[in-house]
Amino acid sequence: MRILIFCLVILFPVSLLPIEDLKKAEKLYNEKKFSDALKIYEDLEKEGYRSGPFYYNLGNIHYRLGHIGKAILYYEKAKKMMPNDENIQHNLSVCYTKTIDKVEVNENFFIQSFKQGMIYRFSEKNWGILSVLMSFISAVLLAISLHLSVRWRSILMPAGLLILIVSFLFFVFGKILVNESNKKSFAIVLAKEIKVKSEPLEHSFVKFKLHEGSKVRIQEMDSEYSLIRLPNGSEGWVRNSELGFI
Amino acid sequence: MCFSLVWRNTYMRGAFCKILFLLSYTACLAQKFEAVVSSRQVQAGQMFEVRFTSTGMMTSFSPPSFKDFEVVGGPNQSSSIQIINGIINQSQSISYYLVARKEGKYTIGSASANVDGQRMSTNPITIEVLPGGSPSNSGNLSQNQQPQDFSDQKFEADGRDYFIRTILSKNKCMKGEFVIVSQRIYSKHPIVSIEKFDPPSYEGVWSQTLQTTSGNQLQTEVLNGEQYYSFEIFRHQVSPTQAGKIVFKPIEGTIVIRKAYQGKPRNIWEQFFGTQSYQDFRVQVKSNAVELNVMELPVTGRPDNFNGAIGEFQIRSDISRKELKQNEALNLKIIISGKGNLQTVEPSKPELPEGFELYDPKVTEYASSKVFDYLIIPRAEGEYTIVVPPFSYFSLEKKQYVTIPALEYPIKVLPGTGGTTPQVFQSQQLQQEIPASDEDIRYIKKFPFEVQKQSERFTGSGWFWMMYGLPWLGFAVLLFVMNRRKQSMLNPEEFMFRRASRSAYRMLELANKEKSASEHEKFYLYVMQGMQHYLCAKLKIGLSEFSSSHVFEKLTQNGVTKETAQKWIDLYSLAEQARYAPGINISGKDEFLNEVKTILNKTEKEFKA
């Protein structure tokens, strides 16, 4: 199945993969030239490339350079795309021991387990391809069934319709993944220390302080400030430039 | 008159008798209220007990005035319920411990109480007080003729021979100060064993049980000029938690004492050596209630950081290192020594700058000092100060609050290397509390892996829908085609009619290819066939019916103008002529074809089925 998907991925019209760049970055990482590797990855990110492993590697590079906040941000991004990956979980927990604030943000358990159980098996693209494939099979089956005797048709027709439903389900899964990755409900503090203010204004009262690597929930977002919320219920406004949105 | 009336009615008479009987019955059951003294003959200064006992519930008890005596204990209340053969016996008693000060004869007046709703009083009792020191209970003893090792018999002796004293190390104290409470049994006769004692519970104090000083040894002690055997049964360290009077309730228990007495010599040996004999008695002992006056600590001058330390204290602190790397650990020891309520003393937590982690201290207690060992891990680099906050206590000597000032330790935290782990220099127990961060991150994902541009989201994109819809488009076309075919199979004439112009054009196309002079005949054949097919299909007539007059008629019937119909006839005959007469050259083959096409189009427009 995975081989089939991989073939389809290659066949489908996508831009050329930056194979050379990625190979070069890997080599640089192994030679411990982390800042050079980082440059390649950051350029690729600017071009719009992303994926679970891509973010994971970016997290590793940041960690090696001592940027704990950014490392956590990219691991969290990677985790969002591949929630079942054990390495991401491990590296994240290593990073969180190095943060100053000890805040734990948990997603709803049910949703998480459901996602992990089913939808995150494949990427958004794979679901899309599977959906198209199923649609094709369904159409072919229905077309064939029109030319067959009533007996065969009574078997093939429901089968075709069932596959059509499945194809639509796959489309929904892919769409959920797309929406999830567009949604920015969490952020990581990137600055060493940030002031959480009571209002989104420059000289507002400072409610409390947060330190690099803390994970916060985003309640509201405007052009310059975001309203964040901690698990203990405290809220406040933070500059967007000091946060990294997952 | 009235009585005679009543007695005449036998039924009423019976009822009256019953009531009388019942009244007398309850009276003889319940009405018992007596006073008993432990001894009618007492020595001056000797303690004795007066007990007022009633069968039934006693309410609103008023004791007699003990004006000639001193009340040293009581009133103590006890009650019991006995059920024998279904009859409930309830009894309640109130007792006092009295001491007569002077010799002479005194009377304890009568006490009164409501027993089961009836007001009752006791008989007065006369007590003979003998001069102090004279034997008082020899008579009691002589009754126990048979020497026994052990006797359950009630030993009716005075309270002065054995008692419990509750001794406080001080009668007045400050709230929170430590006071030693000792419960000691005193007895003039050796104590053989201590049987039943419930450990005392003190109210309004924090208490801690201490090791008794007696151990297993009976001690001798002189009290008021008399020698006693003494034994400490309980020793507590208490610290009052509230101001005011705290009453230590009396404790009660059973002990076995051994009394020696002079018996009659039974043989020559006894006569010669004397008959030192003894008997054991199980007796009840009871302590008196003791009060402790607790004073509130003065409010004036109480420092904010005072948290209950009373006594004399010193505080020291010690830091393991002053320069260290980020994420390494350092230890801060705070040592409080001195005397006072050391057990409950706790210093304020060290004040740490932000970015420092403080773990709960490891506390070690010694006889006169207490050590608090804090583990601190700085997570951020820089120069900081750790502050050991001031410590305040209430000095009992100076009767005022004393504050030991705060201590400051400058700390330099150097930047740690990226992956270094906090080094921990403390016991196993504390190590567990530190999150395990000794593991490094795992290796990167090796290429090849999937990467995708954000803009290239597939699901839901235009590409996706195109790919998704394409097979269904094909399916739709298939359905359409099949539908058409099905229809043509059902009605061939109609099918022909619809396809008339198309097949005519097809024939004309064929003709167009044969325009060369050599294929003269073929060209006109095709044209004729095309026209013929078209008109036959359109007019739904067979080839056999194909004649110029019939075609003209049919065409005009279907709404085609006469000129057009005539043109058809003309063109057809022209073609027919040209086919069989190669000599005749009509204007040109192209023009001829165009003419046929225009007339065909015209007919298509004018034709009405």
Side-chain angles (χ1 to χ4, degrees):
Chain A
M1 191 64 175
R2 277 178 184 276
I3 296 163
L4 181 73
I5 286 167
F6 197 75
C7 291
L8 280 164
V9 167
I10 287 169
L11 283 173
F12 267 69
V14 286
S15 67
L16 283 169
L17 295 179
I19 296 168
E20 283 311 311
D21 285 342
L22 288 172
K23 276 185 177 168
K24 199 174 150 198
E26 190 177 306
K27 205 175 146 229
L28 287 167
Y29 183 93
N30 290 338
E31 288 165 4
K32 298 198 185 298
K33 290 175 184 161
F34 301 120
S35 31
D36 296 332
L38 178 66
K39 202 176 171 306
I40 293 173
Y41 263 87
E42 278 186 337
D43 287 345
L44 287 176
E45 200 200 3
K46 266 179 213 148
E47 280 175 48
Y49 287 107
R50 56 213 57 209
S51 73
F54 182 84
Y55 281 140
Y56 172 85
N57 289 355
L58 200 44
N60 263 26
I61 293 167
H62 277 297
Y63 180 86
R64 289 288 178 225
L65 289 166
H67 312 149
I68 290 299
K70 284 219 164 155
I72 290 176
L73 171 66
Y74 284 110
Y75 286 139
E76 288 281 2
K77 281 187 173 194
K79 190 183 163 193
K80 199 167 151 187
M81 292 182 147
M82 320 194 292
N84 297 322
D85 193 283
E86 202 222 324
N87 289 345
I88 296 173
Q89 200 53 55
H90 173 265
N91 289 5
L92 253 184
S93 61
V94 169
C95 285
Y96 275 125
T97 60
K98 299 203 186 308
T99 58
I100 292 162
D101 306 316
K102 300 290 171 217
V103 278
E104 204 141 319
V105 183
N106 281 325
E107 277 180 68
N108 186 318
F109 175 76
F110 174 74
I111 291 172
Q112 182 130 355
S113 62
F114 175 68
K115 279 184 197 163
Q116 288 188 0
M118 192 65 212
I119 300 178
Y120 281 95
R121 283 279 160 78
F122 301 117
S123 71
E124 161 272 319
K125 197 173 176 184
N126 292 349
W127 282 124
I129 290 162
L130 278 176
S131 173
V132 166
L133 203 72
M134 288 293 141
S135 152
F136 180 77
I137 292 169
S138 168
V140 168
L141 275 181
L142 288 180
I144 291 169
S145 73
L146 291 177
H147 294 278
L148 293 172
S149 66
V150 178
R151 207 181 126 203
W152 283 105
R153 197 185 296 175
S154 65
I155 298 167
L156 273 187
M157 201 100 105
L161 288 172
L162 199 75
I163 290 169
L164 183 65
I165 291 166
V166 168
S167 101
F168 193 74
L169 205 67
F170 286 176
F171 159 71
V172 170
F173 287 174
K175 197 71 194 162
I176 286 173
L177 285 186
V178 170
N179 290 349
E180 276 294 310
S181 68
N182 286 338
K183 205 167 72 187
K184 290 185 170 73
S185 49
F186 290 97
I188 300 292
V189 176
L190 291 184
K192 281 267 175 215
E193 187 180 280
I194 61 166
K195 288 166 182 159
V196 184
K197 293 168 182 172
S198 57
E199 285 172 284
L201 300 167
E202 180 63 39
H203 299 290
S204 174
F205 170 72
V206 177
K207 282 174 105 177
F208 53 91
K209 286 176 179 177
L210 277 177
H211 297 88
E212 188 179 1
S214 302
K215 191 179 179 183
V216 294
R217 190 182 283 274
I218 303 297
Q219 298 286 100
E220 260 177 61
M221 202 172 150
D222 62 27
S223 56
E224 221 182 313
Y225 284 89
S226 288
L227 178 64
I228 60 152
R229 189 185 167 90
L230 296 185
N232 63 13
S234 39
E235 287 188 345
W237 292 89
V238 175
R239 269 182 186 283
N240 288 346
S241 57
E242 292 165 329
L243 295 175
F245 296 93
I246 297 167
Chain B
M1 272 306 285
C2 181
F3 260 106
S4 65
L5 270 171
V6 170
W7 286 112
R8 227 172 269 159
N9 188 322
T10 45
Y11 172 74
M12 284 294 282
R13 192 166 53 205
F16 191 66
C17 287
K18 259 183 200 164
I19 290 162
L20 270 178
F21 172 75
L22 277 172
L23 273 173
S24 62
Y25 180 71
T26 47
C28 76
L29 248 184
Q31 281 154 356
K32 216 175 173 189
F33 183 46
E34 353 168 90
V36 178
V37 286
S38 57
S39 164
R40 283 180 183 257
Q41 261 189 346
V42 294
Q43 270 177 287
Q46 193 179 0
M47 196 163 70
F48 69 98
E49 189 190 13
V50 189
R51 189 183 287 271
F52 303 96
T53 315
S54 73
T55 52
M57 285 302 290
M58 186 157 44
T59 49
S60 65
F61 173 79
S62 59
S65 68
F66 301 111
K67 58 181 189 296
D68 301 316
F69 307 93
E70 196 182 325
V71 181
V72 292
N76 302 317
Q77 253 191 51
S78 70
S79 61
S80 71
I81 295 176
Q82 246 184 333
I83 305 173
I84 298 167
N85 295 335
I87 298 163
I88 300 165
N89 285 314
Q90 195 177 28
S91 74
Q92 203 175 8
S93 67
I94 293 169
S95 63
Y96 292 86
Y97 288 97
L98 304 176
V99 171
R101 285 286 166 229
K102 284 179 199 160
E103 54 179 288
K105 275 193 178 179
Y106 300 103
T107 310
I108 299 171
S110 60
S112 62
N114 275 346
V115 181
D116 285 340
Q118 257 195 314
R119 192 78 197 165
M120 301 190 77
S121 54
T122 57
N123 297 322
I125 301 167
T126 315
I127 304 283
E128 195 182 341
V129 182
L130 303 169
S134 73
S136 65
N137 44 14
S138 55
N140 271 330
L141 263 179
S142 60
Q143 286 163 14
N144 302 306
Q145 284 299 330
Q146 284 305 105
Q148 282 172 305
D149 275 350
F150 195 74
S151 161
D152 263 342
Q153 219 166 337
K154 187 92 178 171
F155 176 55
E156 298 243 340
D158 56 279
R160 208 62 197 150
D161 275 1
Y162 41 84
F163 54 90
I164 301 175
R165 247 164 47 111
T166 304
I167 305 157
L168 302 179
S169 61
K170 45 189 116 179
N171 291 326
K172 267 191 200 171
C173 74
M174 290 291 179
K175 184 179 151 189
E177 194 181 336
F178 276 177
V179 176
I180 307 282
V181 182
S182 161
Q183 305 276 10
R184 287 187 90 88
I185 305 175
Y186 287 85
S187 170
K188 280 190 177 166
H189 311 286
I191 300 162
V192 180
S193 69
I194 289 159
E195 289 202 325
K196 212 172 65 191
F197 270 102
D198 290 326
S201 63
Y202 305 128
E203 280 166 28
V205 296
W206 171 91
S207 78
Q208 189 188 16
T209 311
L210 299 179
Q211 188 82 38
T212 57
T213 50
S214 302
N216 283 328
Q217 291 292 311
L218 211 57
Q219 293 155 317
T220 52
E221 210 176 305
V222 177
L223 205 69
N224 293 338
E226 287 188 77
Q227 188 168 325
Y228 288 92
Y229 293 100
S230 78
F231 184 80
E232 185 172 51
I233 40 172
F234 297 113
R235 192 179 176 85
H236 287 92
Q237 189 171 44
V238 301
S239 153
T241 53
Q242 62 196 48
K245 265 186 187 171
I246 286 175
V247 180
F248 293 93
K249 281 185 190 159
I251 65 161
E252 208 172 348
T254 317
I255 59 167
V256 177
I257 58 167
R258 178 163 294 173
K259 266 192 168 179
Y261 64 92
Q262 212 74 34
K264 268 186 191 168
R266 270 177 286 182
N267 53 40
I268 194 145
W269 291 105
E270 283 185 5
Q271 212 165 25
F272 190 74
F273 292 107
T275 54
Q276 196 65 27
S277 193
Y278 62 83
Q279 192 174 3
D280 287 346
F281 296 96
R282 180 182 279 134
V283 291
Q284 287 278 329
V285 278
K286 208 167 185 181
S287 72
N288 46 336
V290 178
E291 278 177 7
L292 176 66
N293 274 315
V294 183
M295 286 176 291
E296 189 71 69
L297 288 163
V299 182
T300 49
R302 182 189 293 182
D304 288 339
N305 59 343
F306 175 75
N307 62 357
I310 296 168
E312 315 299 327
F313 297 100
Q314 288 89 47
I315 187 163
R316 277 189 300 128
S317 50
D318 185 23
I319 199 154
S320 64
R321 45 194 186 152
K322 296 191 172 176
E323 198 177 294
L324 75 164
K325 277 184 184 171
Q326 194 181 339
N327 293 335
E328 286 181 345
L330 70 92
N331 289 64
L332 177 69
K333 266 185 194 168
I334 299 178
I335 303 146
I336 297 175
S337 55
K339 40 180 195 180
N341 53 353
L342 196 64
Q343 276 102 323
T344 55
V345 165
E346 210 164 299
S348 318
K349 276 190 175 178
E351 286 165 19
L352 297 179
E354 265 182 84
F356 276 59
E357 267 172 40
L358 178 71
Y359 294 91
D360 284 338
K362 196 178 95 182
V363 184
T364 326
E365 272 187 54
Y366 300 102
S368 63
S369 67
K370 210 171 173 186
V371 180
F372 296 83
D373 196 345
Y374 290 93
L375 177 71
I376 296 164
I377 298 176
R379 295 290 189 205
E381 59 195 88
E383 287 187 17
Y384 301 96
T385 332
I386 292 178
V387 180
V388 177
F391 177 74
S392 297
Y393 64 91
F394 183 77
S395 168
L396 288 171
E397 276 173 23
K398 295 176 193 160
K399 298 275 176 234
Q400 65 182 43
Y401 293 101
V402 177
T403 301
I404 299 169
L407 275 167
E408 292 188 354
Y409 293 100
I411 295 287
K412 200 171 174 186
V413 183
L414 304 170
T417 41
T420 53
T421 62
Q423 288 167 18
V424 182
F425 301 101
Q426 219 174 6
S427 64
Q428 195 66 34
Q429 183 201 345
L430 273 173
Q431 221 158 15
Q432 287 167 354
E433 291 168 22
I434 299 164
S437 59
D438 53 340
E439 276 183 82
D440 196 14
I441 56 162
R442 292 189 186 157
Y443 188 57
I444 52 166
K445 308 265 179 203
K446 292 207 77 133
F447 197 77
F449 50 78
E450 206 185 315
V451 277
Q452 193 184 355
K453 279 194 177 179
Q454 176 122 42
S455 51
E456 286 166 355
R457 291 285 163 68
F458 180 64
T459 311
S461 64
W463 255 105
F464 172 82
W465 287 118
M466 215 176 92
M467 311 279 287
Y468 197 90
L470 212 62
W472 297 100
L473 202 72
F475 185 71
V477 168
L478 184 74
L479 271 184
F480 180 75
V481 168
M482 280 175 76
N483 203 28
R484 284 288 293 275
R485 193 173 294 165
K486 203 186 265 174
Q487 269 188 6
S488 69
M489 263 133 86
L490 285 174
N491 190 351
E493 224 172 45
E494 193 64 27
F495 182 68
M496 292 293 275
F497 173 81
R498 276 203 210 154
R499 301 187 54 162
S501 66
R502 215 196 292 180
S503 58
Y505 266 104
R506 209 175 285 159
M507 289 310 281
L508 291 179
E509 280 305 306
L510 277 175
N512 197 28
K513 281 177 190 161
E514 318 289 342
K515 280 188 289 192
S516 62
S518 58
E519 305 293 338
H520 184 81
E521 200 193 323
K522 247 185 188 170
F523 172 82
Y524 286 106
L525 177 69
Y526 284 141
V527 173
M528 280 167 69
Q529 270 182 356
M531 293 169 84
Q532 213 171 23
H533 278 156
Y534 176 76
L535 289 171
C536 284
K538 211 67 187 168
L539 302 173
K540 293 176 187 167
I541 51 171
L543 265 178
S544 55
E545 290 169 280
F546 192 81
S547 68
S548 49
S549 57
H550 190 63
V551 165
F552 184 84
E553 197 184 322
K554 272 268 179 187
L555 275 172
T556 47
Q557 270 176 18
N558 282 301
V560 178
T561 54
K562 280 187 179 159
E563 300 97 79
T564 317
Q566 192 54 54
K567 189 86 183 169
W568 272 110
I569 308 295
D570 292 349
L571 281 173
Y572 188 77
S573 54
L574 252 174
E576 207 168 26
Q577 280 172 28
R579 186 189 165 194
Y580 298 111
I584 300 165
N585 206 353
I586 315 164
S587 52
K589 285 173 183 165
D590 283 329
E591 275 122 86
F592 188 76
L593 269 179
N594 280 340
E595 257 179 273
V596 173
K597 278 177 189 169
T598 39
I599 199 78
L600 210 148
N601 289 342
K602 228 176 191 177
T603 316
E604 277 291 290
K605 275 177 201 156
E606 288 169 5
F607 197 91
K608 288 182 191 90

